[in-house]
Amino acid sequence: GTGTDDALVVNTTDDPEIVTVTGTTVQIEGAPTASYSSFTALTVNTAGGADMAAFVDTHVGRTGLDTGADGDTLTIYTTSGEFSASTGNGDDTLDVRAISADATINLGEGNDTSNVSSDAPINLGTANDIAARLTVEGDMGTDTLNVTDADGGDGILTQEDLTGLGMASGLAYTGMEALNITLGAGSDDFTIESTHTGETFLATGAGDDTVTVGLPVPEDGRNLDYINGPLTIIGGSGSDTLTVDDSGEQDPEEGGLTGTALSGLGQAGAIAYEGIEELDILLGLGDDIFTVEGTHANATAIETGAGGDTVTVEVISGETAIGTAEGADQVNIQTIGAAMTVNAGGDDDTIN
């Protein structure tokens, strides 16, 4: 290009093709390599067919990709300029290893799989090379987003963003049916403030990890009203602590605990848990009703918060502590299979 706003458009056929792009070349397998320079924008249209597009790098200008219909594979090794892509209809695969400028990928209709890891799709790497804002947009179909950060790190998840984990500006996601986050070694501190309506899965990996669930509220504490779908938290080797924090909730709520899941308390789904060494549950400020149908074999602590709460313990399998705060609380204990402690608050509490 020689002008101030030159654009290069590369169109391929409807046949399945393998396209490799660098910051200076476009190569379609079986055809001569085309070199380019000094363009403001590069657009690659691969049309129909099950295409494979690999972006080894991009120029510093804008780069766009439209793969058309059918099941395509897009691999992004890194970028140097703004990048956008649409993978069209079909069951597509997106592998993002690194970016150095903002990138947005729309997956189109179909059952699509996205992998974010420095070695994607192997997914044993890190997210440290996501050095700009990454946006992944699902559409109709069953879309899955996998994010791996094997060296561990602190992170925050909301219903539309994942930040931290070594990423410079985080990852925005929409339209996913499943989000899978895998952490690695190290003592990670991970907070889940809210979730999307699909399934969310967190594996903490090795190390002494701390996971907190709940959205901060202005008054103080957190609540669980924005856990919008099923949430699964799996601890790894090490001493892992899971805190489910509803302490900022003003209204009365009901909830239940088993040895594998926590339900109610304003959640749309439930929190499944496994491999946790310490489970801490903080109830809110209203007159809550909480039923312990069972516990895991490790430690469980329940703090009722203010209000006249009722806690019924049907059975426990691990060491359990219940603490009541302000309000006339009632604790009903039916069966215990492990040590249990009840710390009554300052008001007139009843323990049966």
Side-chain angles (χ1 to χ4, degrees):
T2 57
T4 58
D5 196 23
D6 292 334
L8 173 63
V9 179
V10 179
N11 296 318
T12 71
T13 70
D14 285 333
D15 295 328
E17 287 159 324
I18 299 176
V19 180
T20 303
V21 178
T22 73
T24 57
T25 62
V26 179
Q27 202 274 322
I28 302 170
E29 189 174 70
T33 299
S35 298
Y36 69 99
S37 65
S38 303
F39 284 94
T40 302
L42 167 67
T43 301
V44 179
N45 300 314
T46 64
D51 304 307
M52 299 180 65
F55 283 77
V56 179
D57 199 353
T58 67
H59 67 149
V60 295
R62 300 187 307 274
T63 299
L65 170 70
D66 188 340
T67 65
D70 295 315
D72 306 302
T73 299
L74 167 59
T75 302
I76 302 173
Y77 291 90
T78 193
T79 61
S80 295
E82 180 182 336
F83 181 85
S84 63
S86 174
T87 62
N89 298 344
D91 298 343
D92 305 307
T93 299
L94 167 67
D95 297 322
V96 182
R97 297 190 172 190
I99 58 171
S100 295
D102 291 354
T104 300
I105 297 92
N106 183 286
L107 299 170
E109 296 184 16
N111 302 325
D112 307 308
T113 300
S114 301
N115 302 300
V116 179
S117 174
S118 57
D119 63 348
I122 299 171
N123 295 346
L124 295 175
T126 74
N128 298 342
D129 295 327
I130 305 301
R133 183 69 164 172
L134 174 63
T135 301
V136 181
E137 301 170 342
D139 206 325
M140 295 181 63
T142 301
D143 300 320
T144 300
L145 173 59
N146 303 310
V147 181
T148 303
D149 189 48
D151 66 355
D154 299 345
I156 298 175
L157 176 69
T158 73
Q159 59 191 344
E160 57 188 18
D161 285 289
L162 174 62
T163 55
L165 303 184
M167 296 183 291
S169 300
L171 185 159
Y173 67 100
T174 60
M176 296 295 157
E177 280 63 49
L179 169 62
N180 302 314
I181 302 169
T182 302
L183 307 181
S187 298
D188 308 314
D189 190 342
F190 196 87
T191 301
I192 301 173
E193 295 186 351
S194 59
T195 67
H196 65 149
T197 57
E199 297 180 355
T200 301
F201 179 93
L202 172 67
T204 66
D208 299 338
D209 304 307
T210 300
V211 179
T212 301
V213 181
L215 179 71
V217 295
E219 295 81 4
D220 197 13
R222 299 174 181 267
N223 70 31
L224 304 178
D225 292 350
Y226 294 93
I227 303 302
N228 295 311
L231 171 60
T232 300
I233 299 170
I234 306 295
S237 59
S239 180
D240 301 317
T241 300
L242 169 60
T243 300
V244 181
D245 189 347
D246 200 40
S247 63
E249 178 58 54
Q250 301 286 328
D251 296 327
E253 290 185 323
E254 295 187 19
L257 177 68
T258 72
T260 58
L262 171 66
S263 59
L265 302 182
Q267 302 176 84
I271 300 172
Y273 66 97
E274 180 182 324
I276 301 297
E277 280 64 46
E278 180 178 341
L279 172 62
D280 298 328
I281 302 169
L282 309 180
L283 304 184
L285 304 174
D287 297 341
D288 302 313
I289 298 174
F290 194 79
T291 302
V292 180
E293 299 177 17
T295 69
H296 63 158
N298 295 319
T300 300
I302 302 169
E303 294 292 334
T304 66
D309 306 303
T310 300
V311 179
T312 299
V313 179
E314 296 181 356
V315 65
I316 62 171
S317 300
E319 182 179 346
T320 301
I322 298 176
T324 64
E326 296 177 4
D329 304 303
Q330 181 172 301
V331 180
N332 304 311
I333 304 170
Q334 298 178 4
T335 304
I336 62 172
M340 183 172 186
T341 303
V342 178
N343 296 311
D347 290 320
D348 297 332
D349 300 323
T350 301
I351 302 173
N352 299 311

